[in-house]
Amino acid sequence: MTTYVLTAVAGLLTGAGLIIAIGPQNVFVLRQGVARAHVVPVVVVCAVSDVVLIVAGVAGLGALVAAHPSVVTIAKILGGGYVIVLGVLAARRCLRSSEAIVADSGEAATVSRWAAVGMTLALTWLNPHVYLDTVLTMGAIANSHGHAKWAFAVGACLASLLWFATLGGGATRLSRFFGSPRSWRILDAIVAVVMFVVGAGLLLSV
């Protein structure tokens, strides 16, 4: 039981590390939240999309690993390397970035519900990085946990749900936080540490 709980926590932290970054999807969710316009459908689309992609990655790579056990070693090396690179990028943003999210509530309020859903789907499914983060990286890391891989997937899915619900629901207050470059540097520092720990753990387990 303890193993599954720890694995789920690892999935939660890894999922959060991959999701939390300044990007068009997060900006869009924040803007809709500040404007209080179609927040629920936008958050649902983001969270459900992540769940589908994560489950597809865990199941798909799981089947591949079952057929070819040596694939797990390759997955660990590639996944570990990719996660460490993400950690380096987060550390670099922490040291150099002056970016912040500016939420334009006026612009978001003029978007219809279906247009908001369509834009959310496009920002999610047309982003090539989402497949690297969820399907490949999450799938590789989850399958490295063996029988506990679905506990990892649950934790990762929970991270997505909590992040987007918090971003959309608490947008009015969070917009002040995300409008500060210093706040993003703190988040990036935390993300960098998590990514380094996860990546190193994967490589050391080979």
Side-chain angles (χ1 to χ4, degrees):
M1 186 64 179
T2 303
T3 300
Y4 288 100
V5 172
L6 292 176
T7 303
V9 171
L12 179 70
L13 293 175
T14 305
L18 290 171
I19 295 168
I20 298 174
I22 292 181
Q25 185 188 53
N26 283 335
V27 172
F28 184 72
V29 174
L30 186 63
R31 284 177 176 171
Q32 295 303 127
V34 170
R36 300 185 183 280
H38 323 302
V39 178
V40 173
V42 167
V43 168
V44 168
V45 168
C46 289
V48 170
S49 295
D50 273 5
V51 169
V52 170
L53 290 165
I54 291 168
V55 170
V58 174
L61 284 181
L64 183 61
V65 168
H68 305 281
S70 60
V71 169
V72 72
T73 300
I74 298 174
K76 285 181 179 180
I77 295 173
L78 294 178
Y82 178 65
V83 169
I84 287 176
V85 168
L86 292 179
V88 170
L89 293 176
R92 183 179 179 184
R93 288 195 304 270
C94 173
L95 295 173
R96 300 183 180 181
S97 179
S98 59
E99 290 184 290
I101 285 181
V102 179
D104 186 346
S105 59
E107 179 185 343
T110 62
V111 179
S112 69
R113 174 177 296 181
W114 290 112
V117 170
M119 291 175 68
T120 307
L121 288 169
L123 290 171
T124 301
W125 291 89
L126 297 181
N127 178 9
H129 291 290
V130 75
Y131 300 100
L132 281 174
D133 292 346
T134 54
V135 177
L136 296 179
T137 304
M138 286 292 193
I141 298 174
N143 279 281
S144 72
H145 289 280
H147 295 298
K149 65 182 181 181
W150 288 111
F152 182 94
V154 168
C157 291
L158 183 60
S160 179
L161 177 61
L162 290 175
W163 170 252
F164 288 117
T166 301
L167 194 60
T172 303
R173 293 182 178 180
L174 291 175
S175 61
R176 300 189 187 95
F177 177 84
F178 290 129
S180 166
R182 181 174 179 273
S183 299
W184 275 105
R185 284 195 289 269
I186 293 172
L187 276 178
D188 279 326
I190 297 172
V191 168
V193 171
V194 172
M195 294 295 96
F196 286 142
V197 171
V198 171
L202 274 175
L203 294 178
L204 290 173
S205 67
V206 174

